[in-house]
Amino acid sequence: MHIEWSTFWIQLIAFLILYLLLSKFAFGPLFGMMEKRRQLVKDQIQTAETSRKQAEQLLEEQKQALQQTRKEAYDIIEQAKHTGSKQADDIIHAASAEATRLKDEALKDIENEKNKAVAALRSQVGAMSVLIASKIIEKQIDEKSQEELVEHYLKEVGGNV
């Protein structure tokens, strides 16, 4: 293969002229656009990283807020349980006191009724004594028999009281 040097130098000069024209009019704007694109991608990556960090921070804050809310809810539930237990104890205590009061009143009522019954029996015994006395007078019993009869009726009435 044979090289013609005159054509070689012409092609080399044409290539250099073409390279200078391309570097002035094509490569400069092309490299500028590529640099702008590289900077845009870099800015977007930085923005995405900042957004990711903010999202992580917000997520952590939300987790803490949720945990705090759960703790407050647990505290409220525990307080409600404590209050309910205290109220139940108070109600039981009040019911017990009321039952004791009612029992005491019932015992007093029973005692009053018993006293009334005894008083009624005594009045009946008095009436019976008069009846016995009249019967004794009718029978003409001696004094000893009369005392035995009165004692007998009093024991009988006293045993029923």
Side-chain angles (χ1 to χ4, degrees):
M1 190 165 162
H2 182 288
I3 297 179
E4 285 199 33
W5 289 102
S6 62
T7 314
F8 173 76
W9 290 111
I10 292 174
Q11 286 178 350
L12 183 65
I13 292 173
F15 177 76
L16 288 175
I17 292 172
L18 181 62
Y19 180 77
L20 288 174
L21 287 173
L22 283 175
S23 67
K24 183 170 184 166
F25 294 111
F27 293 146
L30 182 64
F31 288 143
M33 285 176 36
M34 287 176 60
E35 180 61 28
K36 286 180 184 177
R37 178 71 179 159
R38 186 188 67 78
Q39 188 63 36
L40 178 66
V41 169
K42 183 179 174 183
D43 290 344
Q44 287 177 344
I45 289 173
Q46 286 177 345
T47 303
E49 183 65 24
T50 304
S51 297
R52 185 188 62 80
K53 286 180 182 178
Q54 287 176 346
E56 286 177 356
Q57 183 180 7
L58 287 174
L59 179 63
E60 186 63 31
E61 289 173 3
Q62 291 298 323
K63 283 180 182 179
Q64 289 176 357
L66 181 61
Q67 186 177 13
Q68 180 67 24
T69 303
R70 284 182 179 159
K71 182 182 179 298
E72 289 173 1
Y74 177 77
D75 291 343
I76 288 170
I77 290 170
E78 287 300 313
Q79 185 179 11
K81 284 180 183 178
H82 178 72
T83 302
S85 176
K86 185 174 183 274
Q87 286 178 347
D89 290 343
D90 291 345
I91 289 170
I92 290 171
H93 180 70
S96 176
E98 181 67 14
T100 302
R101 185 186 65 79
L102 289 174
K103 179 182 168 188
D104 291 343
E105 283 181 11
L107 289 174
K108 286 179 185 177
D109 288 344
I110 290 170
E111 185 65 30
N112 288 338
E113 291 299 318
K114 178 182 169 186
N115 290 338
K116 287 178 185 177
V118 167
L121 282 176
R122 285 191 179 152
S123 69
Q124 287 178 355
V125 166
M128 288 175 87
S129 295
V130 170
L131 183 64
I132 290 172
S134 67
K135 285 185 180 184
I136 291 175
I137 293 175
E138 287 176 7
K139 288 186 178 180
Q140 297 291 324
I141 302 180
D142 63 358
E143 193 173 306
K144 185 177 178 190
S145 298
Q146 182 180 353
E147 285 181 17
E148 288 175 6
L149 193 57
V150 168
E151 288 294 323
H152 173 69
Y153 280 118
L154 286 177
K155 284 182 185 177
E156 191 176 299
V157 171
N160 289 337
V161 177

